Amino acid sequence: MTPGLPDSNPARRSRSRRSVRWLLVRLGGAAFVLWAVATLTFFAIRLIPGDPAEAVLGGPGSQASQETLDQVRRDYGLDLPLSIQYLHALGRLLRGDLGTSYALKVPVTELLGAQLGGTLLLALAALALAWLAALGLSLWSTGGGRFAASLGQGIELTSAALPHFWLATVLIAVFSTSLGWLPPVSTGGPTGLILPTLTLAIPLAGFLAQVMRETLLDTLDAPFIVSARARGESERGIRLRHALRHASLPAISLSGWALGYLISGAVVVETIFARPGLGRTLLQAVTLRDVPVVTGVVLLVALVYILMTILTDAASRLADPRLASAEATR
């Protein structure tokens, strides 16, 4: 294609149109999901018992006078009808304004910006570790004979079923209390990241390994694999060069969901390991009925989840172009 001239290749133009249409549909869906999340969060928080005006003044223990509470309600618009408060909240969100924390008296965007890095680091480290463990486990269990298959399946089922709070307690008891190798709380250094990462990664690795193993077994019986064996390729080369890419596609698609799962799991893990992040911030905000912070955290998690889903869908289309062609024929 000559720069500055229209693309004369019909197939390439068709692919470009499909990609633009795919992206527009995903962005439209993302906007709808964010609106739905904002609406549900707004009304759900109003169902929590308590007075938001008391939260602004430091909670029920502040013993503020009725005149002070009324003044706070007028200042924050809490005396307006609920429908008007909802419209005002949507208007602020459209301007990118998440409001000011009732409890900390700082802009919510500033508060979330300070906490986001720690949670994303934890979630991405856990996702990477889970992927490595799932790849290794699925390759070993599908190529090591009947005993390896049974043992691998048992490991996958067990690890996928482990609850975060139980696993964190066991890891602290073994590696901190008994062995003294790792700190029981996050100190800000690399060693403080290990136990929280393991707590989040182990259950996810079991789930991803289940998906990879099933897909890998199906792929190894596919005609193109039989052809590769007939050409004399080694079994190891077939697995690494041909089968593994196809077996990874479902796990790639699940990675967007997995990141949302890890961030929501961080609420428990960050609390147990006293690690700063969105999880602890959300828990404290719910306890204090800090409505702007709760709304901001929920929206931010939803946005990260949506972006990761779009990115993983794009990665799947790049790894297997047949997906884009299949969508075009529907």
mmCIF file of all heavy atoms in Angstrom, residues 184-216:
data_model
loop_
_atom_site.group_PDB
_atom_site.id
_atom_site.type_symbol
_atom_site.label_atom_id
_atom_site.label_comp_id
_atom_site.label_asym_id
_atom_site.label_seq_id
_atom_site.Cartn_x
_atom_site.Cartn_y
_atom_site.Cartn_z
ATOM 1 N N PRO A 184 4.973 -11.688 57.834
ATOM 2 C CA PRO A 184 3.520 -11.946 57.800
ATOM 3 C C PRO A 184 2.708 -10.754 57.307
ATOM 4 O O PRO A 184 1.530 -10.906 56.992
ATOM 5 C CB PRO A 184 3.190 -12.255 59.259
ATOM 6 C CG PRO A 184 4.238 -11.510 60.032
ATOM 7 C CD PRO A 184 5.476 -11.533 59.197
ATOM 8 N N VAL A 185 3.323 -9.578 57.246
ATOM 9 C CA VAL A 185 2.632 -8.390 56.719
ATOM 10 C C VAL A 185 3.494 -7.795 55.617
ATOM 11 O O VAL A 185 4.713 -7.997 55.567
ATOM 12 C CB VAL A 185 2.393 -7.329 57.823
ATOM 13 C CG1 VAL A 185 1.493 -7.882 58.903
ATOM 14 C CG2 VAL A 185 3.705 -6.854 58.415
ATOM 15 N N SER A 186 2.846 -7.061 54.727
ATOM 16 C CA SER A 186 3.568 -6.449 53.620
ATOM 17 C C SER A 186 4.356 -5.250 54.136
ATOM 18 O O SER A 186 3.790 -4.293 54.669
ATOM 19 C CB SER A 186 2.591 -6.007 52.544
ATOM 20 O OG SER A 186 2.052 -7.110 51.883
ATOM 21 N N THR A 187 5.679 -5.318 53.978
ATOM 22 C CA THR A 187 6.548 -4.256 54.482
ATOM 23 C C THR A 187 6.898 -3.233 53.408
ATOM 24 O O THR A 187 7.609 -2.290 53.684
ATOM 25 C CB THR A 187 7.849 -4.883 55.011
ATOM 26 O OG1 THR A 187 8.459 -5.657 53.951
ATOM 27 C CG2 THR A 187 7.552 -5.792 56.191
ATOM 28 N N GLY A 188 6.425 -3.443 52.207
ATOM 29 C CA GLY A 188 6.767 -2.542 51.107
ATOM 30 C C GLY A 188 7.899 -3.054 50.251
ATOM 31 O O GLY A 188 8.090 -2.585 49.130
ATOM 32 N N GLY A 189 8.653 -4.028 50.739
ATOM 33 C CA GLY A 189 9.754 -4.609 49.975
ATOM 34 C C GLY A 189 9.289 -5.796 49.147
ATOM 35 O O GLY A 189 8.142 -6.237 49.243
ATOM 36 N N PRO A 190 10.209 -6.346 48.325
ATOM 37 C CA PRO A 190 9.840 -7.494 47.474
ATOM 38 C C PRO A 190 9.389 -8.711 48.279
ATOM 39 O O PRO A 190 8.485 -9.432 47.853
ATOM 40 C CB PRO A 190 11.131 -7.781 46.705
ATOM 41 C CG PRO A 190 11.904 -6.506 46.729
ATOM 42 C CD PRO A 190 11.577 -5.861 48.046
ATOM 43 N N THR A 191 10.010 -8.960 49.440
ATOM 44 C CA THR A 191 9.617 -10.144 50.207
ATOM 45 C C THR A 191 8.187 -10.040 50.735
ATOM 46 O O THR A 191 7.516 -11.055 50.926
ATOM 47 C CB THR A 191 10.571 -10.355 51.391
ATOM 48 O OG1 THR A 191 10.604 -9.146 52.174
ATOM 49 C CG2 THR A 191 11.974 -10.674 50.903
ATOM 50 N N GLY A 192 7.739 -8.794 50.960
ATOM 51 C CA GLY A 192 6.366 -8.618 51.442
ATOM 52 C C GLY A 192 5.318 -8.881 50.389
ATOM 53 O O GLY A 192 4.123 -8.961 50.701
ATOM 54 N N LEU A 193 5.748 -9.012 49.129
ATOM 55 C CA LEU A 193 4.803 -9.259 48.041
ATOM 56 C C LEU A 193 4.592 -10.760 47.794
ATOM 57 O O LEU A 193 3.616 -11.153 47.164
ATOM 58 C CB LEU A 193 5.337 -8.602 46.760
ATOM 59 C CG LEU A 193 4.449 -8.617 45.508
ATOM 60 C CD1 LEU A 193 3.160 -7.840 45.757
ATOM 61 C CD2 LEU A 193 5.202 -8.028 44.323
ATOM 62 N N ILE A 194 5.509 -11.605 48.313
ATOM 63 C CA ILE A 194 5.495 -13.021 47.934
ATOM 64 C C ILE A 194 4.247 -13.746 48.450
ATOM 65 O O ILE A 194 3.522 -14.401 47.685
ATOM 66 C CB ILE A 194 6.778 -13.704 48.447
ATOM 67 C CG1 ILE A 194 8.000 -13.111 47.732
ATOM 68 C CG2 ILE A 194 6.712 -15.218 48.210
ATOM 69 C CD1 ILE A 194 9.326 -13.638 48.238
ATOM 70 N N LEU A 195 3.981 -13.646 49.754
ATOM 71 C CA LEU A 195 2.838 -14.392 50.304
ATOM 72 C C LEU A 195 1.499 -13.898 49.762
ATOM 73 O O LEU A 195 0.638 -14.732 49.415
ATOM 74 C CB LEU A 195 2.863 -14.326 51.836
ATOM 75 C CG LEU A 195 4.004 -15.103 52.514
ATOM 76 C CD1 LEU A 195 3.856 -15.053 54.032
ATOM 77 C CD2 LEU A 195 4.034 -16.547 52.030
ATOM 78 N N PRO A 196 1.249 -12.573 49.655
ATOM 79 C CA PRO A 196 -0.019 -12.149 49.029
ATOM 80 C C PRO A 196 -0.150 -12.636 47.590
ATOM 81 O O PRO A 196 -1.243 -13.020 47.151
ATOM 82 C CB PRO A 196 0.061 -10.620 49.094
ATOM 83 C CG PRO A 196 0.985 -10.321 50.214
ATOM 84 C CD PRO A 196 1.984 -11.429 50.219
ATOM 85 N N THR A 197 0.971 -12.638 46.842
ATOM 86 C CA THR A 197 0.909 -13.107 45.461
ATOM 87 C C THR A 197 0.568 -14.594 45.398
ATOM 88 O O THR A 197 -0.268 -15.026 44.593
ATOM 89 C CB THR A 197 2.261 -12.857 44.764
ATOM 90 O OG1 THR A 197 2.541 -11.454 44.786
ATOM 91 C CG2 THR A 197 2.228 -13.327 43.319
ATOM 92 N N LEU A 198 1.207 -15.390 46.251
ATOM 93 C CA LEU A 198 0.900 -16.823 46.279
ATOM 94 C C LEU A 198 -0.559 -17.071 46.662
ATOM 95 O O LEU A 198 -1.222 -17.948 46.087
ATOM 96 C CB LEU A 198 1.820 -17.532 47.276
ATOM 97 C CG LEU A 198 3.278 -17.731 46.846
ATOM 98 C CD1 LEU A 198 4.100 -18.269 48.016
ATOM 99 C CD2 LEU A 198 3.354 -18.691 45.663
ATOM 100 N N THR A 199 -1.064 -16.292 47.609
ATOM 101 C CA THR A 199 -2.452 -16.478 48.050
ATOM 102 C C THR A 199 -3.426 -16.261 46.898
ATOM 103 O O THR A 199 -4.416 -16.997 46.754
ATOM 104 C CB THR A 199 -2.765 -15.487 49.185
ATOM 105 O OG1 THR A 199 -1.829 -15.687 50.246
ATOM 106 C CG2 THR A 199 -4.175 -15.690 49.710
ATOM 107 N N LEU A 200 -3.170 -15.269 46.071
ATOM 108 C CA LEU A 200 -4.070 -14.999 44.951
ATOM 109 C C LEU A 200 -3.815 -15.942 43.769
ATOM 110 O O LEU A 200 -4.741 -16.304 43.038
ATOM 111 C CB LEU A 200 -3.895 -13.556 44.480
ATOM 112 C CG LEU A 200 -4.495 -12.467 45.375
ATOM 113 C CD1 LEU A 200 -4.113 -11.083 44.866
ATOM 114 C CD2 LEU A 200 -6.014 -12.592 45.428
ATOM 115 N N ALA A 201 -2.549 -16.321 43.562
ATOM 116 C CA ALA A 201 -2.191 -17.060 42.339
ATOM 117 C C ALA A 201 -2.569 -18.535 42.397
ATOM 118 O O ALA A 201 -2.960 -19.116 41.369
ATOM 119 C CB ALA A 201 -0.693 -16.925 42.080
ATOM 120 N N ILE A 202 -2.446 -19.184 43.550
ATOM 121 C CA ILE A 202 -2.633 -20.641 43.616
ATOM 122 C C ILE A 202 -4.043 -21.070 43.188
ATOM 123 O O ILE A 202 -4.190 -21.957 42.332
ATOM 124 C CB ILE A 202 -2.279 -21.149 45.034
ATOM 125 C CG1 ILE A 202 -0.755 -21.050 45.245
ATOM 126 C CG2 ILE A 202 -2.748 -22.583 45.231
ATOM 127 C CD1 ILE A 202 -0.299 -21.399 46.646
ATOM 128 N N PRO A 203 -5.124 -20.466 43.728
ATOM 129 C CA PRO A 203 -6.459 -20.895 43.251
ATOM 130 C C PRO A 203 -6.670 -20.611 41.770
ATOM 131 O O PRO A 203 -7.262 -21.429 41.055
ATOM 132 C CB PRO A 203 -7.418 -20.077 44.122
ATOM 133 C CG PRO A 203 -6.630 -19.707 45.332
ATOM 134 C CD PRO A 203 -5.235 -19.503 44.840
ATOM 135 N N LEU A 204 -6.180 -19.458 41.298
ATOM 136 C CA LEU A 204 -6.360 -19.124 39.884
ATOM 137 C C LEU A 204 -5.577 -20.083 38.988
ATOM 138 O O LEU A 204 -6.056 -20.474 37.914
ATOM 139 C CB LEU A 204 -5.918 -17.680 39.634
ATOM 140 C CG LEU A 204 -6.038 -17.193 38.191
ATOM 141 C CD1 LEU A 204 -7.490 -17.234 37.731
ATOM 142 C CD2 LEU A 204 -5.493 -15.772 38.056
ATOM 143 N N ALA A 205 -4.377 -20.467 39.422
ATOM 144 C CA ALA A 205 -3.573 -21.406 38.628
ATOM 145 C C ALA A 205 -4.301 -22.740 38.461
ATOM 146 O O ALA A 205 -4.269 -23.343 37.379
ATOM 147 C CB ALA A 205 -2.220 -21.628 39.297
ATOM 148 N N GLY A 206 -4.942 -23.214 39.514
ATOM 149 C CA GLY A 206 -5.699 -24.466 39.419
ATOM 150 C C GLY A 206 -6.814 -24.371 38.394
ATOM 151 O O GLY A 206 -7.030 -25.291 37.587
ATOM 152 N N PHE A 207 -7.515 -23.224 38.395
ATOM 153 C CA PHE A 207 -8.615 -23.055 37.446
ATOM 154 C C PHE A 207 -8.096 -22.956 36.009
ATOM 155 O O PHE A 207 -8.625 -23.605 35.097
ATOM 156 C CB PHE A 207 -9.399 -21.793 37.809
ATOM 157 C CG PHE A 207 -10.540 -21.499 36.898
ATOM 158 C CD1 PHE A 207 -11.697 -22.258 36.948
ATOM 159 C CD2 PHE A 207 -10.463 -20.482 35.967
ATOM 160 C CE1 PHE A 207 -12.752 -22.009 36.082
ATOM 161 C CE2 PHE A 207 -11.509 -20.220 35.104
ATOM 162 C CZ PHE A 207 -12.662 -20.990 35.166
ATOM 163 N N LEU A 208 -7.060 -22.141 35.789
ATOM 164 C CA LEU A 208 -6.506 -21.996 34.440
ATOM 165 C C LEU A 208 -5.928 -23.322 33.930
ATOM 166 O O LEU A 208 -6.049 -23.656 32.747
ATOM 167 C CB LEU A 208 -5.421 -20.918 34.434
ATOM 168 C CG LEU A 208 -5.880 -19.471 34.620
ATOM 169 C CD1 LEU A 208 -4.680 -18.524 34.624
ATOM 170 C CD2 LEU A 208 -6.855 -19.052 33.532
ATOM 171 N N ALA A 209 -5.290 -24.084 34.815
ATOM 172 C CA ALA A 209 -4.712 -25.367 34.405
ATOM 173 C C ALA A 209 -5.790 -26.344 33.960
ATOM 174 O O ALA A 209 -5.581 -27.124 33.011
ATOM 175 C CB ALA A 209 -3.897 -25.967 35.553
ATOM 176 N N GLN A 210 -6.950 -26.307 34.628
ATOM 177 C CA GLN A 210 -8.052 -27.170 34.205
ATOM 178 C C GLN A 210 -8.468 -26.852 32.776
ATOM 179 O O GLN A 210 -8.651 -27.747 31.951
ATOM 180 C CB GLN A 210 -9.245 -26.980 35.149
ATOM 181 C CG GLN A 210 -9.074 -27.632 36.506
ATOM 182 C CD GLN A 210 -10.289 -27.375 37.376
ATOM 183 O OE1 GLN A 210 -10.766 -26.250 37.492
ATOM 184 N NE2 GLN A 210 -10.794 -28.425 37.987
ATOM 185 N N VAL A 211 -8.606 -25.551 32.496
ATOM 186 C CA VAL A 211 -9.023 -25.124 31.151
ATOM 187 C C VAL A 211 -7.961 -25.503 30.119
ATOM 188 O O VAL A 211 -8.267 -26.039 29.046
ATOM 189 C CB VAL A 211 -9.281 -23.603 31.144
ATOM 190 C CG1 VAL A 211 -9.606 -23.123 29.736
ATOM 191 C CG2 VAL A 211 -10.409 -23.252 32.103
ATOM 192 N N MET A 212 -6.683 -25.228 30.448
ATOM 193 C CA MET A 212 -5.600 -25.517 29.498
ATOM 194 C C MET A 212 -5.472 -27.007 29.235
ATOM 195 O O MET A 212 -5.255 -27.443 28.097
ATOM 196 C CB MET A 212 -4.276 -24.984 30.045
ATOM 197 C CG MET A 212 -4.129 -23.485 29.987
ATOM 198 S SD MET A 212 -2.473 -23.003 30.534
ATOM 199 C CE MET A 212 -2.657 -21.223 30.578
ATOM 200 N N ARG A 213 -5.579 -27.816 30.274
ATOM 201 C CA ARG A 213 -5.394 -29.270 30.106
ATOM 202 C C ARG A 213 -6.470 -29.849 29.203
ATOM 203 O O ARG A 213 -6.170 -30.630 28.289
ATOM 204 C CB ARG A 213 -5.428 -29.965 31.465
ATOM 205 C CG ARG A 213 -5.203 -31.471 31.400
ATOM 206 C CD ARG A 213 -5.078 -32.069 32.782
ATOM 207 N NE ARG A 213 -6.191 -31.684 33.632
ATOM 208 C CZ ARG A 213 -7.393 -32.251 33.584
ATOM 209 N NH1 ARG A 213 -7.622 -33.240 32.737
ATOM 210 N NH2 ARG A 213 -8.362 -31.855 34.392
ATOM 211 N N GLU A 214 -7.729 -29.457 29.430
ATOM 212 C CA GLU A 214 -8.815 -29.978 28.598
ATOM 213 C C GLU A 214 -8.626 -29.578 27.140
ATOM 214 O O GLU A 214 -8.786 -30.393 26.228
ATOM 215 C CB GLU A 214 -10.167 -29.454 29.118
ATOM 216 C CG GLU A 214 -10.568 -29.993 30.487
ATOM 217 C CD GLU A 214 -10.835 -31.486 30.452
ATOM 218 O OE1 GLU A 214 -11.232 -31.989 29.386
ATOM 219 O OE2 GLU A 214 -10.627 -32.155 31.479
ATOM 220 N N THR A 215 -8.273 -28.303 26.921
ATOM 221 C CA THR A 215 -8.089 -27.838 25.537
ATOM 222 C C THR A 215 -6.872 -28.489 24.905
ATOM 223 O O THR A 215 -6.875 -28.828 23.713
ATOM 224 C CB THR A 215 -7.930 -26.311 25.522
ATOM 225 O OG1 THR A 215 -8.955 -25.718 26.326
ATOM 226 C CG2 THR A 215 -8.035 -25.763 24.110
ATOM 227 N N LEU A 216 -5.815 -28.677 25.702
ATOM 228 C CA LEU A 216 -4.602 -29.300 25.173
ATOM 229 C C LEU A 216 -4.849 -30.741 24.755
ATOM 230 O O LEU A 216 -4.379 -31.196 23.702
ATOM 231 C CB LEU A 216 -3.492 -29.227 26.224
ATOM 232 C CG LEU A 216 -2.085 -29.644 25.795
ATOM 233 C CD1 LEU A 216 -1.619 -28.802 24.617
ATOM 234 C CD2 LEU A 216 -1.109 -29.497 26.958
#
